[in-house]
Amino acid sequence: MTRRTFVLVHGGGHGGWCWQRLARELRARGHDVWTPTLTGFGERAHLGGPETPFATFVTDITSVLEYEDLRDVVLVGHSMGGVVVPRVAEAAADRIARVVFLAAVVANDGETLIQAVPQTPEVAKAVTIEADGTARTDHRLMTEILMPEGTDEDRAWVLARHRAYPPAALVEPGRLSAFLALGLPTGYIVASEDAAVPPPLARAFAARLGDARTAEVPAGHDLMITRPAETADALEAVSG
């Protein structure tokens, strides 16, 4: 397998911490891996605020690409990260080799996350979304939904770190056509037990990308935590 440079962009509620197991797996296979944390999440939760826009998240990632001088990058977005990575590609197309969506949202122009991903019955039990996009989350229940195949230890580890979405991220209009016009190669990985982005919806998202390479992992939404080896296999398959 050709050595690749992966930049992994987490989704809402998570942080760079969520990639620990997958990053170790990919590095053991000889790849370079970067796991930046977006403003307002994880160890950077003290920054930003409810109105932090996607533009800030894009700057978070493009700054890593620039300052670390990363090129030929496989840019991976998980969940909400799927709305961030197309914008990153627009801003730094010359540094990107492929964009991969990992159980991720692919939002059309003008489509918000709330519109793109209607709440499943499972998620609706854990998250109440107000009109302004504020999400009231039962984090314990959410961890069970995110990783149905996870262990009690897995869930406890995520629960200690999981945070609510910033409202702006849920209601900011998406953009896709400008990214597709770049003609960058794409990939999509479906999580077959996902209750947050169910497989039929995930496959519909993949179809929005045109001729994306696809793969499937038998796991819930947080497949990078519960199935790191299988997820690494899928990433290699769609980015090889």
Side-chain angles (χ1 to χ4, degrees):
M1 178 69 190
T2 302
R3 178 175 180 171
R4 298 202 176 277
T5 298
F6 289 94
V7 174
L8 309 178
V9 181
H10 65 82
H14 292 57
W17 56 265
C18 74
W19 301 110
Q20 288 182 25
R21 299 176 188 179
L22 177 60
R24 282 196 294 268
E25 181 70 30
L26 289 169
R27 288 171 183 143
R29 301 181 185 202
H31 303 295
D32 293 327
V33 185
W34 301 82
T35 61
T37 293
L38 303 176
T39 298
F41 295 94
E43 76 278 11
R44 306 182 72 226
H46 60 292
L47 304 173
E51 302 307 316
T52 301
F54 281 127
T56 298
F57 301 155
V58 171
T59 300
D60 290 333
I61 306 304
T62 56
S63 295
V64 172
L65 300 179
E66 177 182 352
Y67 282 93
E68 298 295 347
D69 196 22
L70 303 182
R71 297 186 182 276
D72 295 322
V73 165
V74 178
L75 182 65
V76 181
H78 174 248
S79 195
M80 181 198 78
V83 184
V84 177
V85 292
R87 299 172 189 232
V88 172
E90 283 183 56
D94 60 327
R95 296 180 181 271
I96 309 300
R98 183 176 295 271
V99 181
V100 178
F101 297 76
L102 180 67
V105 181
V106 180
N108 281 322
D109 292 353
E111 184 179 44
T112 68
L113 275 167
I114 295 174
Q115 294 168 333
V117 188
Q119 281 191 316
T120 62
E122 295 90 344
V123 172
K125 294 176 182 178
V127 182
T128 301
I129 299 176
E130 309 293 352
D132 66 351
T134 300
R136 291 190 288 106
T137 305
D138 181 329
H139 294 280
R140 184 176 299 278
L141 182 55
M142 194 64 190
T143 60
E144 296 175 3
I145 293 166
L146 293 174
M147 47 182 65
E149 76 284 13
T151 65
D152 290 342
E153 291 76 14
D154 291 335
R155 296 189 186 105
W157 186 72
V158 173
L159 179 62
R161 294 160 175 80
H162 197 267
R163 299 293 182 267
Y165 266 75
L170 291 172
V171 298
E172 184 171 346
R175 50 185 297 155
L176 182 62
S177 59
F179 164 69
L180 294 178
L182 297 173
L184 289 171
T186 58
Y188 196 102
I189 298 173
V190 177
S192 63
E193 299 172 30
D194 197 340
V197 182
L201 179 59
R203 294 185 187 104
F205 283 153
R208 293 181 175 184
L209 300 172
D211 60 351
R213 292 182 181 176
T214 60
E216 190 163 315
V217 176
H221 193 61
D222 275 3
L223 64 167
M224 65 284 188
I225 297 173
T226 61
R227 297 287 185 266
E230 294 89 339
T231 303
D233 289 342
L235 280 173
E236 288 183 331
V238 302
S239 62

